[in-house]
């Protein structure tokens, strides 16, 4: 029996040795790819979210400001000294016995292992000291915001939870699996590097768990029109009668449209069909070099305006409701101003979700956008004609680095686990490219110049636009924890727009707060108010809190504006706008 066990052990060792050899060979190739990627970024051949010169300038400005105010510096030194003392106390086991709430250290082993506990407590004390220093930076300076943002990135990277030697849970798993977790983690790391061709493309979701059109975006519909920029989908009704006024969904073109049609239980499209609406959706193309010259005005004319023409032909209705999500909402807002200027009142009502109109304070995302970065981006896209999808994906991940970067570093690489299946993260990783003409105009005119809120600052198709001239009834949703469209930068629409406005502040963030369907156990609430004071803080203080999803509230708002019903409309099988292909269409699945 002993000989059999020994033989089995030898076989297992041989297998693991062979596996390690394969991984070593893959690691050498991946290392070469990483070096090539790093050289390309350093030389400017590849676009980088931040350059060393800009970062050095920001930290130089920070220290100059600190040294120019000795009293502030002394106060900061005192605060930092207090935290440093706490750090030393923690190092020698004299720290507080209160439970640590930081979810990076939720595993009980962080408290049970005295060495790991010391690492944890020292790190947290240093992090508090750093936060105390950064909290004293004056607002309004982009250099100070960069210092705060990138210092936080460095602190997050330094967490002992990110390293095998200091992470007790990962070490325990290493021992329990007899090294299997380490090999699996290395395999996960190499797979991510290979997928990114030298760039670490961290897997946040089981890439085999969902298939668009099979598990996601399954609501029945037909593509009934397409052009160079979009396919227009008409969905089959789920009620015998429908509201006379159809509704057009205009999603963001930074990601795919199916965020609005995930699984049946959290599909906003399906929900609206069940409320008796005729639903049409724009599915944007994933741009290639051929789309390099498509600008923001092209997205308007070949996107929602072209779709509205088709919808009017199909339904016979002169007016339609329209919804825009994120940058799709910015396009809808600009389109409303354009239509107001030319005297076209084809929009019955407009809804925008997580859509900024005031870019004065865009939050941390502003660290990535300035004149220098714009010039670097312009140079990068001159030959390719577009910005690769991963740049924006990396940027959004850095805004929530603990959740979207380092938590996966720990689970995927240190513990050798595969990411779980999660529909929202699956969609989040399915990003799209952005054509150069559109992106450069948008970043310069809307983002940097804040042109959307300035009368006549923006021009579309030769027409200067002014959003204060919009008289269309507007429903505006913002979410409290949105790190992409901060709700305080969405709220000014209540003042800028010239017509009736219904502003709703939902819970959670940019995606989860929007895709928040009605359920028996509500996740988030939402806030409304009969009046809109100038200050968003005053709105929050006076607003009424409602439990559950904002979706039914929005449906009631739409219902109040359209009491007329018609027999349910189905996509045509013949005629000018006959079905081209079944939803979700081919544009959404194109790489």
């Amino acid at each position: 029996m002993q000989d059999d066990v020994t033989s089995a052990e030898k076989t297992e060792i041989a297998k693991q040795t062979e596996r390690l050899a394969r991984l070593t060979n893959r690691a050498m190739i991946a290392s070469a790819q990483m070096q090539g990627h790093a050289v390309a970024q350093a030389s400017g051949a590849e676009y980088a979210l931040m350059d060393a010169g800009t970062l050095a300038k920001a930290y130089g400005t920070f220290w100059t400001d600190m040294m120019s105010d000795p009293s502030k510096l002394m106060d900061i030194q005192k605060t930092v000294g207090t935290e440093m003392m706490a750090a030393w106390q923690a190092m020698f086991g004299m720290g507080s016995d209160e439970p640590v709430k930081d979810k990076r250290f939720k595993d009980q082993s962080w408290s049970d292992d005295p060495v790991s506990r010391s690492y944890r407590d020292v790190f947290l004390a240093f992090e508090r000291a750093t936060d105390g220093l950064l909290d004293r930076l004056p607002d309004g300076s982009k250099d100070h915001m960069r210092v705060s943002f990138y210092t936080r990135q460095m602190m997050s990277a330094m967490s002992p939870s990110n390293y095998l030697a200091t992470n007790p849970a990962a070490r325990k798993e290493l021992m329990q699996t007899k090294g299997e977790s380490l090999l699996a983690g290395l395999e996960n790391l190499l797979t991510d590097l290979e997928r990114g061709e030298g760039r670490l493309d961290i897997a946040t979701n089981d890439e085999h768990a969902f298939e668009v059109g099979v598990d996601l975006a399954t609501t029945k519909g037909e593509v009934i029109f397409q052009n160079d920029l979009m396919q227009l989908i008409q969905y089959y009704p789920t009620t015998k009668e429908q509201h006379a006024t159809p509704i057009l969904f205009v999603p963001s073109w930074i990601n795919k449209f199916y965020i609005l049609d995930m699984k049946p239980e959290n599909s906003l499209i399906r929900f609206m069909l069940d409320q008796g609406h005729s639903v049409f959706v724009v599915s944007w193309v994933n741009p290639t070099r051929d789309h390099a010259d498509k600008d923001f005005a092209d997205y308007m004319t070949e996107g929602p305006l072209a779709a509205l023409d088709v919808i009017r032909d199909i339904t016979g209705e002169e007016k339609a409701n329209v919804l825009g999500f994120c940058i799709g909402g910015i396009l809808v807002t600009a389109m409303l101003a354009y239509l107001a200027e030319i005297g076209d009142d084809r929009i019955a009502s407009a809804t925008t979700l997580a859509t900024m109109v005031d870019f004065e304070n865009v939050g941390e995302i502003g660290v990535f956008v300035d004149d220098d970065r714009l010039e670097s981006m312009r140079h990068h896209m001159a030959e390719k004609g577009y910005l690769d999808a991963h740049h924006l994906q990396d940027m959004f991940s850095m805004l929530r680095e603990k959740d979207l970067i380092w938590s996966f570093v720990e689970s995927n690489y240190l513990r050798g686990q595969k990411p779980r299946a999660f529909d929202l993260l699956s969609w989040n990783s399915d990003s799209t490219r952005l054509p150069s003409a559109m992106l450069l105009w948008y970043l310069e005119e809307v983002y940097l110049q804040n042109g959307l809120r300035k009368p006549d600052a923006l021009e579309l198709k030769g027409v200067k636009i002014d959003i204060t001239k919009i008289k269309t009834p507007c429903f505006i949703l913002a979410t409290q924890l949105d790190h992409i469209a901060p709700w305080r930068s969405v709220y000014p629409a209540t003042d800028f727009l010239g017509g009736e406005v219904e502003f709703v502040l939902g819970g959670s963030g940019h995606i989860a707060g929007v895709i928040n369907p009605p359920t028996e156990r509500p996740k988030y609430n939402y806030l409304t108010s009969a009046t809109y004071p100038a200050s968003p803080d005053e709105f929050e203080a006076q607003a009424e809190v409602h439990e559950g999803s904002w979706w039914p509230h929005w449906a009631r708002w739409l219902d109040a504006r359209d009491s007329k019903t018609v027999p349910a409309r189905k996509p045509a099988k013949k005629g000018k706008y006959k079905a081209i292909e079944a939803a979700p269409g081919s544009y959404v699945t194109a790489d």
Side-chain angles (χ1 to χ4, degrees):
M1 184 68 178
Q2 183 64 35
D3 290 342
D4 291 341
V5 173
T6 302
S7 175
E9 287 178 344
K10 287 181 179 180
T11 301
E12 182 62 26
I13 291 172
K15 287 181 179 179
Q16 295 291 23
T17 301
E18 182 182 354
R19 181 184 180 189
L20 185 59
R22 290 197 304 269
L23 291 176
T24 301
N25 184 56
R26 289 173 62 188
M28 293 174 63
I29 298 172
S31 177
Q33 289 179 318
M34 288 175 64
Q35 292 179 18
H37 177 71
V39 169
Q41 284 199 323
S43 65
E46 184 173 332
Y47 177 72
L49 291 173
M50 178 56 63
D51 67 280
T54 301
L55 207 54
K57 173 182 175 296
Y59 277 94
T61 301
F62 163 72
W63 285 114
T64 299
D65 289 349
M66 289 296 100
M67 297 302 294
S68 66
D69 191 343
S71 62
K72 181 188 293 185
L73 188 58
M74 289 180 63
D75 192 25
I76 290 173
Q77 288 173 334
K78 181 179 178 181
T79 302
V80 172
T82 300
E83 292 294 348
M84 289 296 292
M85 179 62 70
W88 283 106
Q89 290 175 338
M91 184 177 294
F92 292 105
M94 296 182 292
S96 170
D97 290 329
E98 294 184 8
V100 174
K101 297 180 180 179
D102 193 315
K103 61 184 178 181
R104 291 174 292 183
F105 309 106
K106 64 183 179 181
D107 195 287
Q108 182 61 33
S109 57
W110 285 100
S111 296
D112 294 341
D113 183 336
V115 175
S116 296
R117 173 174 175 164
S118 177
Y119 280 128
R120 177 198 69 188
D121 292 347
V122 169
F123 169 75
L124 289 175
F126 274 116
E127 190 173 55
R128 286 193 299 270
T130 304
D131 290 343
L133 175 63
L134 298 176
D135 287 343
R136 294 170 182 270
L137 291 177
D139 295 331
S141 166
K142 185 163 282 192
D143 280 336
H144 288 164
M145 184 165 61
R146 284 199 177 101
V147 168
S148 180
F149 179 79
Y150 281 102
T151 301
R152 194 189 79 221
Q153 300 297 317
M154 288 186 282
M155 290 302 300
S156 295
M158 290 168 59
S159 170
S161 60
N162 302 330
Y163 304 95
L164 182 61
T166 53
N167 187 318
R171 294 200 310 270
K172 180 180 179 181
E173 196 148 358
L174 173 67
M175 299 298 293
Q176 289 178 338
T177 63
K178 299 180 180 180
E180 171 62 28
S181 63
L182 181 62
L183 289 178
L186 178 58
E187 196 155 24
N188 290 341
L189 173 62
L190 293 174
T191 298
D192 289 351
L193 285 169
E194 289 163 353
R195 185 173 55 252
E197 298 180 343
R199 177 186 65 87
L200 187 58
D201 185 8
I202 300 175
T204 60
N205 183 74
D206 180 354
E207 62 180 343
H208 304 296
F210 301 105
E211 182 180 349
V212 177
V214 177
D215 310 288
L216 305 175
T218 60
T219 302
K220 189 178 179 182
E222 304 285 349
V223 174
I224 45 90
F225 174 81
Q226 66 183 38
N227 57 29
D228 287 344
L229 277 181
M230 65 93 176
Q231 288 187 321
L232 181 63
I233 300 171
Q234 180 182 3
Y235 288 92
Y236 285 94
T238 60
T239 57
K240 292 182 178 181
E241 291 189 330
Q242 292 181 317
H243 291 278
T245 306
I247 186 167
L248 171 67
F249 284 21
V250 184
S252 166
W253 53 88
I254 293 173
N255 289 88
K256 307 290 183 68
F257 87 89
Y258 64 89
I259 186 60
L260 302 169
D261 185 31
M262 301 294 284
K263 294 179 293 188
E265 58 267 27
N266 62 350
S267 168
L268 183 57
I269 288 173
R270 190 168 299 218
F271 173 81
M272 291 304 288
L273 288 168
D274 290 343
Q275 306 308 304
H277 289 272
S278 298
V279 180
F280 296 80
V281 175
V282 167
S283 173
W284 298 104
V285 74
N286 193 359
T288 65
R289 182 69 183 83
D290 294 338
H291 299 90
D293 295 330
K294 295 292 185 181
D295 61 17
F296 195 84
D298 292 323
Y299 270 78
M300 180 182 72
T301 55
E302 297 181 42
L305 286 181
L308 288 167
D309 287 341
V310 173
I311 292 169
R312 181 165 52 190
D313 289 348
I314 289 174
T315 66
E317 296 291 332
E318 291 298 318
K319 293 191 175 188
N321 298 310
V322 64
L323 173 146
F325 185 13
C326 190
I327 194 173
I330 293 172
L331 180 65
V332 164
T333 303
M335 180 186 73
L336 292 175
Y338 170 80
L339 293 176
E341 198 65 46
I342 65 174
D344 189 329
D345 65 347
R346 69 172 72 185
I347 307 300
S349 76
T351 298
T352 59
L353 311 177
T355 298
M356 286 189 291
V357 294
D358 185 359
F359 291 77
E360 186 68 29
N361 182 12
V362 298
E364 288 187 327
I365 201 169
V367 305
F368 300 108
V369 184
D370 61 16
D371 292 331
D372 289 339
R373 290 293 82 207
L374 200 64
E375 189 57 36
S376 175
M377 190 182 296
R378 191 187 312 275
H379 175 75
H380 169 74
M381 293 193 295
E383 181 176 347
K384 298 187 74 170
Y386 57 82
L387 186 70
D388 285 306
H390 68 77
H391 292 297
L392 287 180
Q393 189 174 337
D394 291 346
M395 180 178 72
F396 293 143
S397 293
M398 289 177 72
L399 295 176
R400 293 176 52 204
E401 80 286 351
K402 292 177 184 176
D403 294 331
L404 296 179
I405 298 177
W406 295 110
S407 68
F408 290 102
V409 167
E410 179 189 8
S411 62
N412 296 8
Y413 307 149
L414 299 191
R415 306 181 74 166
Q417 299 171 352
K418 292 290 186 182
R420 67 188 180 93
F422 185 24
D423 56 350
L424 292 183
L425 285 180
S426 177
W427 167 84
N428 188 60
S429 64
D430 192 9
S431 301
T432 60
R433 296 175 289 272
L434 298 173
S436 57
M438 181 285 302
L439 183 58
L440 291 171
W441 186 92
Y442 169 73
L443 290 177
E444 186 167 15
E445 299 295 334
V446 178
Y447 223 93
L448 292 179
Q449 301 300 324
N450 203 9
L452 191 62
R453 65 163 291 180
K454 299 175 183 176
D456 300 330
L458 298 183
E459 184 175 304
L460 297 172
K461 294 184 62 181
V463 176
K464 292 185 180 297
I465 65 171
D466 179 358
I467 65 173
T468 64
K469 295 181 180 179
I470 297 173
K471 305 301 181 185
T472 305
C474 290
F475 183 102
I476 299 169
L477 176 82
T479 55
Q480 290 173 312
L481 302 180
D482 197 329
H483 59 292
I484 296 173
W487 80 267
R488 287 175 173 80
S489 294
V490 177
Y491 182 78
T494 59
D495 180 50
F496 295 154
L497 301 179
E500 174 198 349
V501 173
E502 174 78 2
F503 180 83
V504 173
L505 181 60
S508 194
H510 192 73
I511 301 302
V514 172
I515 307 305
N516 178 30
T519 59
E520 291 184 5
R521 296 182 178 180
K523 286 185 177 181
Y524 314 112
N525 56 26
Y526 63 95
L527 281 67
T528 63
S529 177
T531 60
Y532 303 111
S535 165
D537 292 331
E538 291 179 24
F539 163 84
E540 193 172 23
Q542 75 176 32
E544 180 182 357
V545 178
H546 307 270
E547 293 298 323
S549 169
W550 62 270
W551 291 12
H553 180 81
W554 175 51
R556 290 190 295 270
W557 185 84
L558 283 175
D559 289 350
R561 283 153 184 77
D562 184 17
S563 59
K564 181 183 175 182
T565 61
V566 296
R569 304 174 176 120
K570 297 180 181 179
K573 295 298 184 182
K574 59 182 180 179
K576 183 178 180 181
Y577 298 112
K578 65 181 180 181
I580 299 172
E581 59 181 336
S586 54
Y587 280 19
V588 74
T589 56
D591 293 330

